[in-house]
Amino acid sequence: MSMFSIFNVSGSAISSQSKRLNVVASNMANADAVAGPDGKAYKARNVVFQTVEFDAPESKGVTVSSITESDAPFKRTYAPDHPSADANGYVDQSNVNPVEEMVNMISASRSYQNNVEVMNTAKTLMLKTLQMGQ
């Protein structure tokens, strides 16, 4: 694997983790929402990653293949006076679990940071290699 492949691999991971962080931020913003943009309760979203091959067969990266909605049940709250209440007086709220989203956020941000560090280390190694020739 060439040194330039390292930048492709880490760059793809940084881009994918950035998208994951955006999805987590959207989920956290709607954690207590009663209605999403379509008027129904907001469904948590999850990022699905997929391996992608680069020019060199030994180097692979990652990309976001899709963003799926969670199948977890909605939180139901008894609030008969609420305008969104059903016939029994229950209101469906978002199925976002804030604890899981915080774990996702920490995981994604650490992965992002690690890949930035990989790129910085590769850059330093390349500069030192060039300095050896002087």
Side-chain angles (χ1 to χ4, degrees):
M1 178 186 295
S2 74
M3 288 295 283
F4 293 109
S5 295
I6 292 171
F7 292 108
N8 288 337
V9 172
S10 289
S12 71
I14 287 172
S15 175
S16 297
Q17 293 301 332
S18 177
K19 290 176 185 173
R20 181 179 173 199
L21 284 168
N22 284 335
V23 169
V24 168
S26 178
N27 286 345
M28 290 296 288
N30 290 292
D32 291 328
V34 174
D38 59 357
K40 298 178 183 175
Y42 179 84
K43 290 185 177 183
R45 288 161 174 73
N46 301 306
V47 175
V48 179
F49 295 113
Q50 178 180 355
T51 304
V52 61
E53 284 194 32
F54 295 117
D55 297 334
E58 70 272 0
S59 71
K60 295 183 184 337
V62 66
T63 187
V64 173
S65 66
S66 65
I67 298 174
T68 61
E69 289 185 343
S70 172
D71 293 334
F74 293 118
K75 293 180 233 170
R76 293 183 53 84
T77 307
Y78 184 72
D81 296 334
H82 195 280
S84 299
D86 63 10
N88 297 324
Y90 286 94
V91 177
D92 287 337
Q93 291 184 319
S94 167
N95 63 354
V96 174
N97 183 338
V99 175
E100 286 180 13
E101 295 305 321
M102 287 299 292
V103 170
N104 278 333
M105 182 184 65
I106 291 168
S107 172
S109 66
R110 288 202 176 144
S111 180
Y112 187 98
Q113 290 170 348
N114 288 339
N115 281 288
V116 167
E117 196 61 35
V118 166
M119 291 178 88
N120 285 334
T121 301
K123 179 186 85 169
T124 302
L125 288 173
M126 289 176 84
L127 288 174
K128 292 204 183 272
T129 302
L130 289 172
Q131 289 173 353
M132 286 174 49
Q134 292 180 350

